């Protein structure tokens, strides 16, 4: 499952919580990915979190991957992806 184009961390956490509840209820494993949105050159989401804070906010969920969409373009997005990868 892909929780995609996330710009509000609370919405992402709500979606991830619902997914975890269904996985537990049905006793199944489903790979889950998250794609966030960095909205401007400050490197923050629309709700004001840095890329690192966004990652920390969702790190309690076992995720296959976390990424960011290309709202800024690949060249401007690269430093934030690199920072989170470290």
């Amino acid at each position: 499952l892909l929780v995609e184009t996330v710009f509000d961390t609370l919405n992402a956490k709500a979606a991830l919580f619902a997914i975890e509840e269904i996985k537990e209820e049905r006793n199944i494993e489903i790979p889950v990915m998250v794609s966030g949105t960095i909205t401007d050159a400050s490197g923050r989401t629309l709700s004001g979190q840095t890329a690192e804070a966004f990652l920390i906010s969702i790190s309690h969920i076992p995720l296959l991957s976390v990424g960011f969409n290309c709202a800024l373009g690949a060249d401007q997005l690269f430093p934030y992806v690199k920072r989170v990868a470290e």
Side-chain angles (χ1 to χ4, degrees):
L1 296 175
L2 174 60
V3 178
E4 199 256 338
T5 312
V6 174
F7 53 85
D8 180 83
T9 308
L10 289 177
N11 286 340
K13 290 177 76 126
L16 293 169
F17 180 80
I19 290 168
E20 290 301 307
E21 283 210 329
I22 293 296
K23 286 169 53 176
E24 187 177 312
E25 179 182 295
R26 297 183 182 180
N27 195 28
I28 56 174
E29 280 301 315
I30 301 169
V32 179
M33 303 177 289
V34 174
S35 174
T37 301
I38 302 296
T39 59
D40 60 34
S42 74
R44 295 182 181 274
T45 65
L46 192 57
S47 57
Q49 281 190 306
T50 64
E52 295 92 337
F54 176 75
L55 181 62
I56 290 166
S57 294
I58 59 173
S59 65
H60 63 288
I61 300 291
L63 298 170
L64 177 64
S65 67
V66 176
F68 296 100
N69 66 34
C70 56
L72 295 178
D75 290 340
Q76 288 181 308
L77 188 62
F78 182 75
Y80 308 112
V81 172
K82 183 178 178 188
R83 213 174 300 149
V84 168
E86 293 170 349

